[in-house]
Amino acid sequence: MSGFVSMEEVERVAELANLDLEADEKPRMQRDLNAILDYVAQLKELDTSGVEPMAQVSELLDAGADTGHGVELRVDGLRPSLDRKLVMEEAPETDGAFFKTPKVIER
């Protein structure tokens, strides 16, 4: 691990994300963030000079269509689902159409 992220940066990121990290969680978070950055550094070492930039991978779906090697997606169709009435009967709190949940974000 290269040690890109300082403890102060961990605390700032936690603050921005509205996370209350316990003292024992901060070193683990620092280790995890540094592991992510180490992985990104490894990816930067790859030679991508022959790879065309793209914004969507959907361009790859049609890439092999001429040769029969294209990727086929499943048909987007209606399928049976859970019965809403039965599900709402089991919910601890509902308005009849949606689940009601307690507020979890306070500012």
Side-chain angles (χ1 to χ4, degrees), residues 5-66:
V5 180
S6 69
M7 194 58 70
E8 292 77 25
E9 290 169 320
V10 168
E11 291 167 354
R12 179 65 177 140
V13 168
E15 178 186 349
L16 292 171
N18 267 341
L19 297 175
D20 291 325
L21 295 179
E22 300 293 330
D24 65 325
E25 293 176 305
K26 291 178 184 179
R28 288 191 317 223
M29 183 65 70
Q30 183 183 33
R31 182 188 66 237
D32 290 348
L33 290 172
N34 280 320
I36 291 167
L37 292 176
D38 280 341
Y39 183 69
V40 170
Q42 282 182 331
L43 292 175
K44 284 179 149 181
E45 294 175 10
L46 294 174
D47 177 17
T48 58
S49 58
V51 179
E52 288 292 320
M54 66 175 123
Q56 300 290 326
V57 295
S58 59
E59 297 170 16
L60 296 175
L61 297 176
D62 297 327
D66 299 340

Side-chain angles (χ1 to χ4, degrees), residues 49-85:
S49 58
V51 179
E52 288 292 320
M54 66 175 123
Q56 300 290 326
V57 295
S58 59
E59 297 170 16
L60 296 175
L61 297 176
D62 297 327
D66 299 340
T67 63
H69 293 96
V71 177
E72 258 188 64
L73 299 177
R74 68 171 170 79
V75 176
D76 188 16
L78 293 175
R79 300 184 302 179
S81 185
L82 296 173
D83 181 80
R84 180 182 296 270
K85 183 178 178 189

Side-chain angles (χ1 to χ4, degrees), residues 79-100:
R79 300 184 302 179
S81 185
L82 296 173
D83 181 80
R84 180 182 296 270
K85 183 178 178 189
L86 292 174
V87 171
M88 290 299 146
E89 288 174 359
E90 297 292 324
E93 195 172 346
T94 176
D95 66 2
F98 300 101
F99 295 110
K100 286 183 152 184

